[in-house]
């Protein structure tokens, strides 16, 4: 048989060639199975398939799929490491750095998040979405001034970037810049007047100005639109307590406990229709400990 192959120009397949063909076949099967598992939310199996496939040969698409499966499986550090390898292979791919920033945000690693944003901006300095991410990294690092600057630039590049207005308004409020925060809240109300997050921002700005009754009215609108708004009940209750309406504050705390039973650990004791001095004291302590406005 070897004689005829030689005679007619045939080539005998070597063991090395057979091994390479088998590896290619195995790689394709593993990658296909991994993608199918990824689309079926079988994260652990997908991870196994992609890891075995990458042991056979390097493949950027396979590594990309692996990073996605790892994120879904809450293996964030491993996902970030895979994205770093992708970034090394494609240093001009802005999308990879954006994904790195998002994963770092989930890990609450704001330094890594800022670094990824900086690299993305070196590729495209006028990407408003990246500037918004960078602002979140700045906030995570306690740099509110630069966060506001980033958000302002993002808004100048994308006038309808409503998330940036909301984040800037919230940041300005925490900085005590009530005028700017109020302007952002009012602009957002013109765009999306019934949005819960926007109404909450407006209520917080109004309350920070000392307009307690007006703030309660806005919280009432939030609760009418969303009877499950934990923040609205908690913050409205805090205002009621400050105004001396202990019964109203207690009712709002009951709603908080129903919506978030874990809070019951902070407020021991049973509530009753009449209420007691002891319960009122616990309500006062709960509101004080929770710092419902988060402005500290």
């Amino acid at each position: 048989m070897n004689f005829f192959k030689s005679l007619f120009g045939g080539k005998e397949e070597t063991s090395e060639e057979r091994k390479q063909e088998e590896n290619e076949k195995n790689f394709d099967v593993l990658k296909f199975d991994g993608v199918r598992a990824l689309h079926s939310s079988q994260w652990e199996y997908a991870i196994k398939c992609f890891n075995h496939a990458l042991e056979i040969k390097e493949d950027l698409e396979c590594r990309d799929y692996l990073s996605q499966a790892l994120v879904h499986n809450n293996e964030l550090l491993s996902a970030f490491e895979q994205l770093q390898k992708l970034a090394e292979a494609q240093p001009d791919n802005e999308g990879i750095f954006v994904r790195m920033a998002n994963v770092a945000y989930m890990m609450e690693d704001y330094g890594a998040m800022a670094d990824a944003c900086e690299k993305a901006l070196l590729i495209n300095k006028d990407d408003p979405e990246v500037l918004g991410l960078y602002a979140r990294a700045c906030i995570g690092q306690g740099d509110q001034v630069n966060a506001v600057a980033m958000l302002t630039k993002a808004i100048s590049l994308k006038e309808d970037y409503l998330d940036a207005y909301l984040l800037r308004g919230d940041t300005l409020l925490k900085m005590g810049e009530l005028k700017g925060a109020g302007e952002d809240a009012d602009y957002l109300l013109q765009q999306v007047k019934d949005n819960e997050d926007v109404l909450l921002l407006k209520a917080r700005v109004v309350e920070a100005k000392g307009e307690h009754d007006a703030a309660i009215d806005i919280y009432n609108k939030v609760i009418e639109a969303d009877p499950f708004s934990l923040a609205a009940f908690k913050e409205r209750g805090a205002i009621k307590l400050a105004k001396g309406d202990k019964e109203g504050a207690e009712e709002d705390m009951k709603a908080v406990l129903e919506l978030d039973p874990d809070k019951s650990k902070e407020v021991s004791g049973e509530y009753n229709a009449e209420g007691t001095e002891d319960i009122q004291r616990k309500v006062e302590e709960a509101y004080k400990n929770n710092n419902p406005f988060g402005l500290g």
Side-chain angles (χ1 to χ4, degrees):
M1 186 174 181
N2 290 340
F3 168 76
F4 285 107
K5 282 187 176 183
S6 176
L7 182 65
F8 295 103
K11 181 181 178 182
E12 183 180 5
E13 187 177 44
T14 66
S15 59
E16 186 61 32
E17 289 171 335
R18 286 195 298 272
K19 182 179 179 181
Q20 185 175 348
E21 288 178 3
E22 185 178 347
N23 283 341
E24 288 289 344
K25 181 179 178 180
N26 289 339
F27 174 84
D28 290 339
V29 169
L30 286 165
K31 183 176 179 180
F32 177 81
D33 282 354
V35 171
R36 184 170 57 183
L38 181 63
H39 291 161
S40 302
S41 302
Q42 298 174 298
W43 318 127
E44 292 186 2
Y45 182 66
I47 290 168
K48 289 180 181 178
C49 288
F50 294 135
N51 274 323
H52 285 309
L54 288 167
E55 288 174 1
I56 295 173
K57 72 172 185 178
E58 176 60 31
D59 182 83
L60 295 181
E61 187 179 41
C62 190
R63 200 170 288 284
D64 183 11
Y65 286 135
L66 174 58
S67 71
Q68 296 176 44
L70 288 165
V71 169
H72 285 299
N73 206 44
N74 203 33
E75 297 181 47
L76 300 178
L77 181 58
S78 295
F80 190 84
E81 291 170 350
Q82 293 301 321
L83 290 169
Q84 283 180 312
K85 293 179 181 179
L86 287 173
E88 290 170 4
Q90 297 182 341
D92 296 326
N93 189 330
E94 180 192 356
I96 295 173
F97 293 109
V98 171
R99 287 176 57 197
M100 289 174 68
N102 279 305
V103 173
Y105 182 56
M106 288 186 277
M107 292 193 295
E108 299 183 1
D109 187 341
Y110 301 112
M113 184 182 182
D115 183 64
C117 289
E118 287 173 4
K119 290 176 179 175
L121 289 173
L122 287 174
I123 299 169
N124 180 6
K125 64 182 177 65
D126 292 328
D127 188 329
E129 302 292 339
V130 175
L131 289 165
L133 282 171
Y134 204 166
R136 292 187 183 279
C138 290
I139 291 169
Q141 294 176 306
D143 188 356
Q144 296 173 323
V145 173
N146 271 326
V148 171
M150 293 287 178
L151 292 166
T152 300
K153 183 177 180 182
I155 290 167
S156 71
L157 294 167
K158 184 180 178 184
E159 189 176 347
D160 62 347
Y161 194 178
L162 300 186
D163 284 342
Y165 278 100
L166 184 63
L167 185 58
R168 186 176 69 175
D170 181 66
T171 305
L172 288 169
L173 174 61
K174 290 177 179 176
M175 294 170 67
E177 299 288 343
L178 302 186
K179 184 177 183 295
E183 289 172 352
D184 281 344
D186 289 340
Y187 173 82
L188 287 167
L189 284 171
Q190 293 174 3
Q191 310 302 315
V192 283
K193 63 179 180 178
D194 295 325
N195 181 276
E196 179 179 338
D197 291 329
V198 173
L199 286 169
L200 285 171
L201 173 60
K202 179 63 176 179
R204 289 163 183 163
V205 172
V206 170
E207 169 57 21
K209 292 179 178 179
E211 301 171 15
H212 307 307
D213 291 335
I216 288 177
D217 287 341
I218 300 172
Y219 282 118
N220 291 343
K221 292 178 183 178
V222 175
I223 292 169
E224 286 173 10
D226 178 12
F228 304 100
S229 177
L230 183 67
F233 279 112
K234 187 191 301 183
E235 294 170 24
R236 186 180 70 175
I239 298 172
K240 288 179 179 179
L241 190 64
K243 285 170 56 67
D245 181 6
K246 294 185 177 181
E247 184 176 345
E250 182 184 332
E251 287 300 316
D252 280 347
M253 180 54 79
K254 285 182 182 179
V256 169
L257 295 177
E258 289 174 2
L259 293 169
D260 186 1
D262 288 343
K263 293 293 181 188
S264 62
K265 297 174 184 177
E266 301 170 15
V267 188
S268 58
E270 296 295 328
Y271 287 108
N272 54 50
E274 294 77 17
T276 67
E277 182 179 345
D278 182 54
I279 289 175
Q280 288 177 351
R281 177 180 58 79
K282 290 170 181 173
V283 169
E284 291 174 17
E285 290 175 356
Y287 279 119
K288 180 180 178 181
N289 292 336
N290 288 337
N291 186 18
F293 293 97
L295 300 180

